[in-house]
Amino acid sequence: MVHDRVYVAIAALTRRRPKLFENLLESLMHLRTPDGVRIDYIFVENDEQLSIEPVCQAFAERTGLPVHVLHEPVQGISLGRNQALEKALDLGCDFLAFVDDDEEVDADWMVELLAAQAEFDTDLTCGWVYSKIPDDAPGGMAGWMLQYRLDRYRERERQRLLPEKLVRQGEHAVVAAHPQCGTGNWLFRLDFARTHDLRFDPTFKREEDQNFYQRMKALGGTLAQARRARVWHIFSAESAGALSIYRRKRNAVQVRYGIEPDGSPVPFGLRQWLMALAMIAWKLLHGAVFMILAPLTLGRSLFSGLRAFGFAAGLWRAARGAAL
């Protein structure tokens, strides 16, 4: 597309999280726009009823920028993302950025994303999602779990940027050996979608961004990570809870080992089944040991145990060809 300026759509999906969505909008109020860049906002409510119009209208009046409010009544994150993608294509945008409704952005978020994209001229540019605890976080055991989970996230973030884990380094962008490319911090070149007719797969109820990236990569798409394009995930007690930890690991493992880029299940032969069963047994043993040790480790091994059980469950679902 040819414009006088670079044309970027910033999109977010939301469903029944009004306070978090308002916090996101407040952070976007302070977003710095790079020189020569035009910004439109696309907000999609993925719920039976459309209720976000008043807060979006107030946001549009305060920013003076175009705001497009869309409604996807059929629940499904891929359906909502495709609504935003189609709207950005219809508008003639050059790029589509995604951020989640339980996040807040740094003022320089878009400046850094676009600088990283330009440095390596990539089709997809993703920043890391950092986490923080809200001011009204609970105390006691729930508060301890939140803080411990946050410490683990921060250590992972540090590990991702170690020089030995980077394939290529620039001032604004890096290419990581094991990239993180979630739609919580995402900038996609829309000409790639126009050329390859690429959309989010509606059969994916979660991990849809990983599937999108894998299909884009199979088509020759390129990815870089933005060093300083920071987005902050508000780390709620619910997201750090035991069931959430278990489910995230289970789903990630199922996608990794059991789902082809086109969304079909990976066929497991006899050899793959035997290897999977051995790994499942090993992970279950690990999980049990971690749980037994939890009182001695002051609960620290509890997280490792939950992740081990999640790994075993995800691999079992992958081997069986279960739907995600």
Side-chain angles (χ1 to χ4, degrees):
M1 307 298 292
V2 178
H3 311 292
D4 294 335
R5 296 183 290 173
V6 175
Y7 190 7
V8 180
I10 297 176
L13 277 64
T14 189
R15 183 176 188 271
R16 301 185 186 181
R17 297 203 279 198
K19 178 58 178 173
L20 290 173
F21 183 58
E22 288 177 19
N23 290 343
L24 167 64
L25 296 183
E26 183 61 35
S27 73
L28 290 169
M29 296 279 187
H30 308 287
L31 189 68
R32 296 190 183 95
T33 302
D35 293 338
V37 174
R38 172 185 169 182
I39 299 288
D40 276 29
Y41 287 97
I42 301 172
F43 299 124
V44 184
E45 187 159 20
N46 189 198
D47 204 356
E48 291 84 358
Q49 301 296 324
L50 180 63
S51 63
I52 63 171
E53 285 182 302
V55 69
C56 291
Q57 179 62 32
F59 175 80
E61 292 172 358
R62 289 180 63 186
T63 61
L65 296 173
V67 174
H68 311 273
V69 180
L70 307 179
H71 183 213
E72 176 49 72
V74 180
Q75 188 175 346
I77 193 166
S78 294
L79 297 175
R81 296 211 186 282
N82 280 335
Q83 277 238 27
L85 177 54
E86 295 292 352
K87 183 63 177 180
L89 290 169
D90 289 345
L91 291 170
C93 296
D94 300 299
F95 294 97
L96 172 63
F98 271 116
V99 63
D100 287 342
D101 67 348
D102 60 349
E103 295 174 342
E104 298 171 8
V105 303
D106 271 6
D108 284 330
W109 172 57
M110 188 51 56
V111 174
E112 291 294 337
L113 267 181
L114 287 168
Q117 190 281 329
E119 190 167 38
F120 290 166
D121 191 28
T122 46
D123 299 301
L124 181 60
T125 308
C126 297
W128 280 278
V129 176
Y130 297 83
S131 298
K132 67 178 181 179
I133 296 175
D135 295 335
D136 59 351
M141 177 58 73
W144 177 85
M145 288 184 70
L146 275 172
Q147 186 60 54
Y148 183 69
R149 187 75 176 148
L150 178 60
D151 292 341
R152 286 175 61 92
Y153 262 66
R154 286 175 174 167
E155 176 58 21
R156 273 190 187 161
E157 290 155 7
R158 189 188 70 80
Q159 290 287 332
R160 287 191 188 107
L161 285 171
L162 292 176
E164 60 268 25
K165 296 189 177 181
L166 301 178
V167 176
R168 185 181 178 191
Q169 300 185 56
E171 180 184 355
H172 297 278
V174 298
V175 175
H178 302 288
Q180 183 188 40
C181 54
T183 39
N185 192 345
W186 169 290
L187 182 73
F188 177 56
R189 182 174 14 216
L190 288 172
D191 271 349
F192 195 94
R194 294 184 178 99
T195 301
H196 299 282
D197 196 27
L198 186 62
R199 302 294 187 273
F200 291 89
D201 187 338
T203 64
F204 277 71
K205 306 302 181 185
R206 58 183 72 88
E207 308 292 339
E208 79 294 338
D209 45 8
Q210 301 303 312
N211 171 263
F212 185 98
Y213 164 62
Q214 292 298 334
R215 288 187 291 126
M216 186 201 79
K217 183 179 177 182
L219 291 168
T222 55
L223 169 73
Q225 311 269 177
R227 283 182 179 272
R228 295 183 291 272
R230 292 186 177 90
V231 160
W232 297 90
H233 170 241
I234 310 305
F235 218 17
S236 66
E238 179 184 359
S239 67
L243 189 57
S244 178
I245 294 166
Y246 164 82
R247 283 175 173 168
R248 276 198 301 270
K249 190 63 177 179
R250 181 197 66 189
N251 295 339
V253 169
Q254 184 179 354
V255 168
R256 180 179 178 184
Y257 293 103
I259 308 294
E260 298 280 13
D262 63 1
S264 62
V266 173
F268 273 57
L270 177 60
R271 181 171 178 270
Q272 287 80 13
W273 257 104
L274 293 174
M275 292 178 65
L277 290 174
M279 179 59 73
I280 289 168
W282 181 248
K283 287 293 183 180
L284 289 175
L285 176 61
H286 269 205
V289 171
F290 284 132
M291 290 299 187
I292 292 170
L293 292 175
L296 300 177
T297 63
L298 301 179
R300 290 179 175 84
S301 64
L302 172 66
F303 296 92
S304 299
L306 290 168
R307 287 170 60 81
F309 288 144
F311 190 107
L315 189 54
W316 173 250
R317 290 171 63 85
R320 290 172 49 236
L324 189 66

